[in-house]
mmCIF file of all heavy atoms in Angstrom:
data_model
loop_
_atom_site.group_PDB
_atom_site.id
_atom_site.type_symbol
_atom_site.label_atom_id
_atom_site.label_comp_id
_atom_site.label_asym_id
_atom_site.label_seq_id
_atom_site.Cartn_x
_atom_site.Cartn_y
_atom_site.Cartn_z
ATOM 1 N N GLY B 1353 99.122 100.631 77.785
ATOM 2 C CA GLY B 1353 98.894 100.015 76.473
ATOM 3 C C GLY B 1353 99.762 98.779 76.307
ATOM 4 O O GLY B 1353 99.299 97.724 75.866
ATOM 5 N N GLU B 1354 101.018 98.922 76.705
ATOM 6 C CA GLU B 1354 101.969 97.820 76.583
ATOM 7 C C GLU B 1354 101.520 96.622 77.422
ATOM 8 O O GLU B 1354 101.570 95.483 76.984
ATOM 9 C CB GLU B 1354 103.335 98.311 77.072
ATOM 10 C CG GLU B 1354 104.515 97.758 76.310
ATOM 11 C CD GLU B 1354 105.823 98.281 76.898
ATOM 12 O OE1 GLU B 1354 105.812 99.339 77.570
ATOM 13 O OE2 GLU B 1354 106.833 97.613 76.725
ATOM 14 N N MET B 1355 101.076 96.918 78.640
ATOM 15 C CA MET B 1355 100.652 95.839 79.535
ATOM 16 C C MET B 1355 99.418 95.118 79.016
ATOM 17 O O MET B 1355 99.269 93.917 79.180
ATOM 18 C CB MET B 1355 100.308 96.408 80.914
ATOM 19 C CG MET B 1355 101.507 96.729 81.724
ATOM 20 S SD MET B 1355 101.034 97.750 83.114
ATOM 21 C CE MET B 1355 102.642 98.244 83.673
ATOM 22 N N LEU B 1356 98.520 95.910 78.421
ATOM 23 C CA LEU B 1356 97.268 95.307 77.969
ATOM 24 C C LEU B 1356 97.378 94.797 76.532
ATOM 25 O O LEU B 1356 96.377 94.374 75.941
ATOM 26 C CB LEU B 1356 96.123 96.317 78.096
ATOM 27 C CG LEU B 1356 95.810 96.780 79.526
ATOM 28 C CD1 LEU B 1356 94.690 97.807 79.526
ATOM 29 C CD2 LEU B 1356 95.437 95.609 80.416
ATOM 30 N N GLY B 1357 98.551 94.868 75.977
ATOM 31 C CA GLY B 1357 98.764 94.368 74.616
ATOM 32 C C GLY B 1357 98.049 95.201 73.582
ATOM 33 O O GLY B 1357 97.527 94.677 72.595
ATOM 34 N N THR B 1358 98.004 96.510 73.813
ATOM 35 C CA THR B 1358 97.326 97.384 72.868
ATOM 36 C C THR B 1358 98.163 98.661 72.691
ATOM 37 O O THR B 1358 99.240 98.784 73.265
ATOM 38 C CB THR B 1358 95.893 97.682 73.360
ATOM 39 O OG1 THR B 1358 95.211 98.426 72.375
ATOM 40 C CG2 THR B 1358 95.864 98.443 74.664
ATOM 41 N N SER B 1359 97.648 99.601 71.917
ATOM 42 C CA SER B 1359 98.421 100.822 71.672
ATOM 43 C C SER B 1359 98.128 101.866 72.756
ATOM 44 O O SER B 1359 97.136 101.765 73.482
ATOM 45 C CB SER B 1359 98.044 101.407 70.318
ATOM 46 O OG SER B 1359 96.679 101.787 70.347
ATOM 47 N N GLU B 1360 99.001 102.857 72.805
ATOM 48 C CA GLU B 1360 98.778 103.959 73.744
ATOM 49 C C GLU B 1360 97.467 104.670 73.394
ATOM 50 O O GLU B 1360 96.704 105.064 74.270
ATOM 51 C CB GLU B 1360 99.961 104.937 73.654
ATOM 52 C CG GLU B 1360 99.806 106.128 74.575
ATOM 53 C CD GLU B 1360 100.983 107.090 74.508
ATOM 54 O OE1 GLU B 1360 101.987 106.775 73.837
ATOM 55 O OE2 GLU B 1360 100.882 108.165 75.126
ATOM 56 N N GLU B 1361 97.209 104.780 72.088
ATOM 57 C CA GLU B 1361 96.007 105.486 71.628
ATOM 58 C C GLU B 1361 94.747 104.747 72.103
ATOM 59 O O GLU B 1361 93.786 105.377 72.555
ATOM 60 C CB GLU B 1361 96.050 105.568 70.095
ATOM 61 C CG GLU B 1361 95.163 106.645 69.480
ATOM 62 C CD GLU B 1361 95.365 108.036 70.070
ATOM 63 O OE1 GLU B 1361 96.505 108.384 70.448
ATOM 64 O OE2 GLU B 1361 94.357 108.768 70.188
ATOM 65 N N ALA B 1362 94.798 103.426 72.003
ATOM 66 C CA ALA B 1362 93.637 102.625 72.434
ATOM 67 C C ALA B 1362 93.430 102.765 73.941
ATOM 68 O O ALA B 1362 92.291 102.892 74.419
ATOM 69 C CB ALA B 1362 93.836 101.166 72.069
#
Side-chain angles (χ1 to χ4, degrees):
Chain B
E1354 216 181 338
M1355 283 166 191
L1356 297 178
T1358 185
S1359 63
E1360 179 179 353
E1361 200 52 34

